[in-house]
Amino acid sequence: MTKISLKSLEALGAAKLAELVFDEASGNAAFKRRVTAAIAAQSGPGAVVKLIDRRLSGLDRARSFIDWDKSRRFAEDLTAVLSSIVQELGPADAETGMDRLLRFLATHHAVFQRVDDSNGHVQGVYEEGITALAPLVARLSPDAASMLPARIMEALGEMDHGYLPRVADQVIPHLPPSALEAWESDLARRTAERDAAEADQRASGRWFYSMTDQWRRMRQSIARAQGRLDHLISLEREKPERSQDRLGIAALLHEAGRLEQALEWVREGGPYAHATLFGLAEDDAPDDSPAVRQALLEAAILKDMGRKAEGSETLWDHFARTLAPDILRAHLKTLPDFDDIEAEERAMALALDHSDAKAAMRFFLAWPRHDLAGQVIIAHRGLWSGSDWHILPGIAATLEHKQPLAATILYRVLLDDILARARSKAYGHGAKYLAALDRLAAEAETAQGRPEDLDTHATYRAHLKTQHGRKAGFWALAEGRATRDEPEMRRGRRPRWSDG
């Protein structure tokens, strides 16, 4: 198979490549902009600047709303602008390229007000723009680099989407010490003035957004670059308690060898301050949760303090609260050979008896112990809800082969919810669930531990006919008299603005 590579494209020759580029540019507006910028670059940076400025001005002036289904095309247009700045202008004139890149990043404030970016395409372009800052800063002259903080504050200093600290993180490593000192002084002044202006709001106890949050994070980044750990910690203590990154500070103190202080910070707020159960939410990444980070970091600090046994006990205590697999794995690694086998059995028993059955089920699926996950599902069969439609079908499919009874319980819950709420758009899914129930019926009927009060498949099917026999659309699909392509699920969600 012929693959596209730089070498294979070069072999085509200039004429053939020009023909391909011309054809693509004729029907692709975003690509045409990139080609136009490349051609303009042949005349020098000035020609490219004119093209970029025209597009940036258009972004500033635009007011029309862009629906989600058109956001991808809009993102491609933004990518063309960004590419013109980074690939054409930046290499020719780093200072002008930096100025236009900051202007481009500043357009996010107006753009996000008029685009439905549920799919995240537009935000992704601005993320790329932030990443492009560092290589460009490295090419600036010392004088231009010293002026950069002021230019950043002018462009982004009052924008509340959270990009400002991330922009700062990209440029701070490349700034001279004098520029960092001046930026710290400017941010300290701004923060003090804003704190004074917002004193009444803060005294009310009500939450409100303040730019001081972003400015303090920037000051901490500067302090980190300067090696001023105590100053960084003092800035952390200025934040509201709910906003303090205790684990981040503990990690810095641990790295610096200040173990007693690190232990205080990781434990500050009590053992439940960061506890989060291994839950059932679709986007859960529980082993990246603060609960897991706290447990692993606390154990590592104790180990470095020569208190390895206490660290092992700490891991067990955290696991007992959270049922997070990574904590249990870390605990087992601290034990002597063969002791870990007994400890794992104790962990399985603890999870089986845990008060949160959903957390227990997810733990057993992740460990994996599908047999025990099935036990939890069967024992707590009244707990499961069709509202967890985004999670349960995958779990049921995973358990079909070796745990048909547990899978049956979940498929019934999902099907009952669809029919009870007459969710006609989900009837195709319901028909698949009923087909799975038919397929699993024989094994589920004879499964060990089957509850006596659980209806047989024949009784369950008869009940469906009695309760929902008039839902003709569903039965047509279930009985093969009609087909339906399931619509693509579009779950509207707001963009996940990064907070640094």
Side-chain angles (χ1 to χ4, degrees):
M1 181 176 65
T2 303
K3 294 183 179 180
I4 296 177
S5 65
L6 287 176
K7 187 174 182 179
S8 63
L9 289 175
E10 289 171 357
L12 291 176
K16 185 61 177 179
L17 283 173
E19 180 184 347
L20 293 172
V21 169
F22 183 81
D23 288 345
E24 177 64 17
S26 299
N28 185 330
F31 183 69
K32 182 178 180 180
R33 290 192 179 95
R34 294 185 63 178
V35 174
T36 302
I39 294 173
Q42 303 300 307
S43 302
V48 183
V49 170
K50 289 182 180 180
L51 292 174
I52 293 171
D53 285 351
R54 187 180 306 128
R55 184 59 177 141
L56 291 176
S57 297
L59 288 173
D60 287 334
R61 293 193 306 268
R63 295 293 181 269
S64 59
F65 188 80
I66 301 168
D67 289 323
W68 72 273
D69 57 337
K70 297 179 181 178
S71 63
R72 183 187 290 273
R73 179 68 60 85
F74 180 67
E76 291 173 353
D77 289 342
L78 291 178
T79 298
V81 178
L82 178 61
S83 297
S84 299
I85 296 171
V86 175
Q87 298 178 13
E88 305 299 339
L89 180 57
D93 186 339
E95 188 171 348
T96 304
M98 175 60 69
D99 181 77
R100 296 317 191 266
L101 181 52
L102 290 176
R103 278 188 59 190
F104 172 79
L105 293 174
T107 63
H108 82 268
H109 190 269
V111 165
F112 288 152
Q113 303 302 317
R114 65 185 189 90
V115 62
D116 178 354
D117 191 33
S118 300
N119 48 31
H121 294 312
V122 174
Q123 187 180 1
V125 179
Y126 286 103
E127 299 278 352
E128 292 177 14
I130 292 173
T131 303
L133 282 164
L136 202 51
V137 180
R139 299 184 62 249
L140 293 177
S141 68
D143 288 343
S146 295
M147 296 171 59
L148 188 55
R151 295 164 69 182
I152 290 172
M153 297 305 292
E154 181 181 359
L156 300 164
E158 292 287 346
M159 294 186 178
D160 59 8
H161 282 300
Y163 282 169
L164 180 59
R166 298 183 57 203
V167 167
D169 286 342
Q170 290 290 317
V171 306
I172 283 172
H174 304 284
L175 297 182
S178 59
L180 292 178
E181 292 173 8
W183 204 358
E184 156 63 20
S185 297
D186 176 60
L187 290 167
R189 175 188 58 79
R190 290 173 184 261
T191 302
E193 292 176 354
R194 190 63 56 87
D195 280 344
E198 296 171 347
D200 290 342
Q201 288 175 277
R202 195 164 285 105
S204 71
R206 298 176 182 173
W207 183 89
F208 67 97
Y209 182 80
S210 173
M211 280 301 300
T212 59
D213 295 339
Q214 294 192 60
W215 295 340
R216 281 193 177 90
R217 291 205 301 275
M218 294 164 67
R219 294 177 66 192
Q220 287 181 307
S221 294
I222 293 173
R224 187 178 291 109
Q226 294 173 325
R228 301 172 62 194
L229 180 55
D230 287 324
H231 182 50
L232 188 153
I233 293 172
S234 70
L235 290 170
E236 192 68 29
R237 289 202 181 277
E238 290 181 9
K239 298 177 183 178
E241 185 176 352
R242 66 179 178 274
S243 301
Q244 291 182 14
D245 181 11
R246 300 184 186 93
L247 301 184
I249 296 296
L252 290 173
L253 288 165
H254 180 218
E255 184 179 347
R258 295 162 60 171
L259 302 180
E260 291 289 350
Q261 287 178 283
L263 190 60
E264 291 176 9
W265 273 88
V266 79
R267 288 177 169 176
E268 195 168 308
Y272 291 94
H274 308 291
T276 303
L277 280 170
F278 192 14
L280 194 59
E282 178 187 15
D283 295 321
D284 270 358
D287 282 3
D288 293 328
S289 73
V292 174
R293 291 171 52 216
Q294 182 188 24
L296 300 182
L297 179 56
E298 185 175 349
I301 293 169
L302 288 168
K303 179 183 178 181
D304 288 347
M305 295 175 76
R307 297 155 63 177
K308 183 177 179 180
E310 185 179 347
S312 181
E313 293 174 3
T314 294
L315 289 169
W316 175 260
D317 291 341
H318 279 281
F319 168 72
R321 285 193 298 273
T322 65
L323 297 187
D326 270 9
I327 298 179
L328 178 58
R329 292 188 185 99
H331 170 68
L332 296 179
K333 289 178 181 178
T334 67
L335 301 177
D337 291 343
F338 304 110
D339 286 3
D340 58 338
I341 298 175
E342 181 181 348
E344 182 175 351
E345 291 175 353
R346 184 161 65 110
M348 300 304 109
L350 182 148
L352 275 174
D353 197 40
H354 200 279
S355 59
D356 191 312
K358 290 182 179 180
M361 178 186 68
R362 286 292 298 270
F363 166 71
F364 288 129
L365 288 168
W367 191 246
R369 281 294 301 272
H370 292 172
D371 57 329
L372 298 183
Q375 285 187 37
V376 172
I377 291 169
I378 295 167
H380 300 274
R381 58 189 178 280
L383 175 67
W384 317 112
S385 169
S387 61
D388 290 319
W389 55 266
H390 50 302
I391 289 293
L392 295 186
I395 295 174
T398 298
L399 297 176
E400 274 191 27
H401 181 59
K402 293 188 176 180
Q403 299 296 318
L405 179 56
T408 292
I409 289 171
L410 296 183
Y411 281 134
R412 285 187 182 184
V413 164
L414 291 162
L415 178 54
D416 290 345
D417 182 73
I418 290 171
L419 295 179
R421 294 198 283 169
R423 294 174 54 208
S424 59
K425 290 184 179 180
Y427 280 172
H429 292 291
K432 293 177 184 176
Y433 301 151
L434 183 55
L437 289 169
D438 291 340
R439 185 173 65 252
L440 297 173
E443 290 183 90
E445 303 276 291
T446 59
Q448 185 178 1
R450 178 185 176 87
E452 293 182 0
D453 61 346
L454 187 66
D455 287 342
T456 65
H457 182 61
T459 302
Y460 175 76
R461 246 187 172 279
H463 176 75
L464 288 182
K465 275 291 188 180
T466 301
Q467 293 292 109
H468 306 290
R470 301 178 69 177
K471 293 182 171 67
F474 166 74
W475 290 108
L477 290 167
E479 295 169 358
R481 292 181 282 107
T483 59
R484 174 187 296 174
D485 292 331
E486 293 301 328
E488 180 182 352
M489 291 300 227
R490 176 183 175 262
R491 281 172 286 144
R493 63 171 179 83
R494 292 176 297 175
R496 294 182 175 180
W497 310 121
S498 171
D499 60 5

